[in-house]
């Protein structure tokens, strides 16, 4: 699903700490810095099966791995990332429903470095997975 992003609304949905950190960035700069969907880790495919069931196919430097989970996308993705050598810790998690989708903002720590990831998607699970990937791609 492709969403048209109102970047001002998206940034307004961010937690105060992220808005302060990103003060002075244009909406395009905000998106480039915090919403990286390309990098060391990519989401190749996403399927939300029903209620709390989903399948995500992740690409790690050209290698694909499919994660199927029931329940929390944070727990499933964190476990899969750890298995692939990305021991990520979620320090802050903020999610808000907007007029056009769910905005998710995560502060991640990886190898002693911290970075925010942000995403907007049609459902909260996909938004969460995309924000976590964006967070990793800020420093991986």
């Amino acid at each position: 699903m492709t969403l048209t992003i109102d970047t001002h609304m998206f940034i307004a949905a961010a937690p105060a700490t992220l808005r302060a950190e990103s003060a002075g960035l244009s909406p395009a700069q905000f998106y480039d810095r915090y919403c990286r969907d390309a990098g060391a880790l990519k989401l190749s495919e996403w399927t939300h099966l029903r209620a709390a069931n989903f399948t995500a196919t992740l690409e790690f430097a050209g290698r694909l791995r499919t994660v199927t989970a029931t329940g929390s996308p944070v727990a499933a993705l964190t476990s899969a990332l750890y298995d692939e050598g990305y021991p990520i810790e979620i320090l802050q998690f903020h999610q808000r429903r907007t007029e056009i989708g769910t905005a998710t903002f995560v502060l991640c720590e990886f190898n002693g470095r911290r970075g925010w990831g942000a995403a907007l998607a049609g459902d909260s699970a996909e938004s969460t997975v995309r924000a976590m990937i964006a967070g990793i791609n800020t420093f991986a």
Side-chain angles (χ1 to χ4, degrees):
M1 168 190 260
T2 302
L3 298 174
T4 302
I5 297 175
D6 175 341
T7 51
H8 294 289
M9 176 277 313
F10 183 54
I11 294 168
T17 52
L18 178 54
R19 287 193 316 270
E21 178 181 312
S22 63
L25 295 180
S26 71
Q29 290 169 322
F30 180 94
Y31 189 82
D32 287 345
R33 181 172 296 172
Y34 300 109
C35 303
R36 294 184 185 179
D37 57 357
L41 179 60
K42 295 177 186 168
L43 180 63
S44 295
E45 189 175 320
W46 171 263
T47 306
H48 195 166
L49 306 172
R50 64 185 182 279
N53 297 320
F54 65 90
T55 300
T57 301
L58 308 172
E59 184 177 334
F60 297 89
R63 262 182 323 104
L64 295 178
R65 175 163 181 193
T66 300
V67 176
T68 301
T70 299
S72 167
V74 173
L77 187 57
T78 301
S79 180
L81 292 169
Y82 184 84
D83 291 346
E84 293 292 331
Y86 293 87
I88 186 172
E89 184 176 347
I90 305 299
L91 304 175
Q92 290 185 43
F93 180 92
H94 300 270
Q95 195 167 65
R96 286 189 56 194
R97 186 85 184 120
T98 70
E99 293 176 10
I100 60 171
T102 301
T104 304
F105 306 90
V106 293
L107 178 59
C108 304
E109 185 169 331
F110 175 68
N111 289 338
R113 297 177 61 198
R114 292 181 179 188
W116 282 97
L120 182 67
D123 69 63
S124 62
E126 181 179 357
S127 180
T128 298
V129 169
R130 290 187 181 281
M132 289 174 66
I133 289 170
I136 291 167
N137 283 334
T138 62
F139 43 72

